[in-house]
Amino acid sequence: MPPMMRRRSVLLGIAASPAIPYPSLAQTSAPPSTLFTVALAELTKGREMKSGRIRLETSPLAESGSSVECKITVENALATPDQVQTIHLLSEQNPIPTIARFHIAPDTGDVVIETSIRLRTTQRVHAIAQMADGALYADKSESVVLLAACLDAG
């Protein structure tokens, strides 16, 4: 009878194990770097960033940080004073926070940009649309990077 009791104890232990809290195995992004904070402050110059009008999508899970899919979409009304002029793409953890800057021609209409970017590690990426009237619209997206890239500062 003791061997059966041990087997039941093991089976009950296995059945109960999902109820035991385990620390998450998923990587989470670190707090924004000082370089990112400075770059964002220089870009915004104290202006408020609003949500809406811009949407940023990145791969939620990237096998390699050398090539992470990225899509930026901006609603851009034609012939209005609040047309998008520039789209800034910033990284919280790369050695150089500015990933890209896109200058948009007047009267372009809705903007869709699809590209691949390099990410140093798991982090959030920010897209900021600067309008002709000075307004800023922002969105962010997080990507979990399994194999790091951008290890140098150049």
Side-chain angles (χ1 to χ4, degrees), residues 58-74:
T58 59
S59 301
L61 179 65
E63 188 173 320
S64 170
S66 295
S67 182
V68 179
E69 296 297 314
C70 175
K71 181 178 180 181
I72 306 165
T73 309
V74 181

Side-chain angles (χ1 to χ4, degrees), residues 35-114:
L35 293 172
F36 168 79
T37 306
V38 169
L40 186 63
E42 287 175 3
L43 173 65
T44 60
K45 294 180 174 85
R47 294 176 288 176
E48 176 189 355
M49 292 189 295
K50 305 170 191 170
S51 60
R53 293 199 56 187
I54 187 167
R55 178 158 170 75
L56 172 64
E57 300 171 59
T58 59
S59 301
L61 179 65
E63 188 173 320
S64 170
S66 295
S67 182
V68 179
E69 296 297 314
C70 175
K71 181 178 180 181
I72 306 165
T73 309
V74 181
E75 298 171 18
N76 194 29
L78 293 173
T80 61
D82 64 345
Q83 285 186 340
V84 64
Q85 279 188 325
T86 310
I87 299 171
H88 304 269
L89 196 58
L90 301 174
S91 151
E92 288 188 359
Q93 299 298 324
N94 282 3
I96 300 173
T98 301
I99 298 172
R101 186 176 299 123
F102 304 96
H103 299 281
I104 310 302
D107 300 324
T108 300
D110 289 347
V111 177
V112 178
I113 300 169
E114 293 187 49

Side-chain angles (χ1 to χ4, degrees), residues 97-151:
T98 301
I99 298 172
R101 186 176 299 123
F102 304 96
H103 299 281
I104 310 302
D107 300 324
T108 300
D110 289 347
V111 177
V112 178
I113 300 169
E114 293 187 49
T115 189
S116 292
I117 59 175
R118 291 184 67 178
L119 296 179
R120 179 181 201 164
T121 185
T122 296
Q123 62 182 292
R124 284 180 295 277
V125 176
H126 298 254
I128 301 166
Q130 185 173 349
M131 304 302 176
D133 65 359
L136 299 174
Y137 291 87
D139 194 18
K140 61 186 169 188
S141 179
E142 184 166 13
S143 288
V144 174
V145 175
L146 300 178
L147 184 60
C150 286
L151 299 177

